[in-house]
Amino acid sequence: MTVVDHAPAMPAAAVAPLREGGVLSVMAVNRHSAPLVAAVRGLGPAAAPAALDRDRADGRTFGTTMALYTAEEIASLPDGLGCPRADRYGIRSVCDHIADDERKHDPAFHADLERLEPAVTDRPAHRHTARLYQLAARRGTAACAPPRPRRGVTGDAGSGQGRVRTRGPSSVTATVCSMWAARLPSVVRSVQPSASVR
């Protein structure tokens, strides 16, 4: 949603092919995270106040300007499309605020991140400051509520089934998303991980 001209139109396009009970998943860069990125990751607290109300940012991943939205600005859109009561999750709540990217490639450190991110994904304090947010709802049915993972467990009962394995810090997004998808048979389990969005 951050790299298209009119992001609010995107959920309607995604809902159109869904059958009743199909899952709508919307992910975007979280505008609330911008001051933390500036102050913590960028070590520039002087630049953080300007980021508080900024709705645009330069995106390194796609080499373009990103439109920034809060989850609150987007959350009402699924309701009007027949996907009521979207649940909200934080994606990369910790990973993107760690400035030392080299450390994230250390297998033990990365494994710790992969355990931590799913543990905080649905906790209110972390949802608000996560680098990305995800809104998920079912079309024409009750809210889509993926079960909360047991601590330290990903995939189906720790078996690793449905889990996407990639290298580097981008895989924490895939871990959270694929763990969620593995518990919903109707969801396509192919997750395309991305590099850290700054």
Side-chain angles (χ1 to χ4, degrees):
M1 291 185 62
T2 57
V3 294
V4 296
D5 292 332
H6 187 58
M10 291 296 292
V15 167
L18 286 182
R19 293 184 292 234
E20 183 175 338
V23 176
L24 171 69
S25 173
V26 177
M27 289 179 64
V29 175
N30 179 16
R31 183 156 55 95
H32 288 317
S33 70
L36 279 175
V37 170
V40 179
R41 183 179 177 85
L43 300 176
L52 286 170
D53 298 311
R54 188 178 301 144
D55 63 1
R56 300 275 169 180
D58 293 329
R60 296 181 189 177
T61 302
F62 298 106
T64 186
T65 300
M66 299 186 300
L68 302 178
Y69 300 92
T70 66
E72 294 81 6
E73 291 171 319
I74 301 300
S76 63
L77 297 177
D79 280 349
L81 298 169
C83 298
R85 299 180 301 280
D87 290 314
R88 177 178 170 184
Y89 304 91
I91 305 294
R92 299 204 313 247
S93 302
V94 179
C95 182
D96 280 30
H97 299 306
I98 298 173
D100 187 351
D101 285 334
E102 288 301 315
R103 186 86 189 274
K104 297 172 191 175
H105 292 277
D106 174 79
F109 185 84
H110 185 74
D112 289 339
L113 274 179
E114 283 192 316
R115 284 187 291 271
L116 177 60
E117 291 284 358
V120 301
T121 187
D122 61 349
R123 297 193 179 201
H126 302 285
R127 289 191 315 229
H128 289 289
T129 57
R131 187 58 177 142
L132 298 99
Y133 57 82
Q134 180 182 32
L135 302 172
R138 287 191 186 276
R139 183 173 188 176
T141 63
C144 172
R148 184 175 175 75
R150 291 177 292 157
R151 299 204 185 280
V153 176
T154 56
D156 288 327
S159 67
Q161 293 178 356
R163 187 173 181 179
V164 176
R165 301 296 293 165
T166 62
R167 293 185 182 191
S170 63
S171 70
V172 293
T173 300
T175 297
V176 172
C177 294
S178 63
M179 177 184 59
W180 179 79
R183 289 173 167 81
L184 294 168
S186 62
V187 177
V188 175
R189 297 186 185 184
S190 175
V191 177
Q192 181 63 47
S194 61
S196 292
V197 179
R198 299 176 195 156

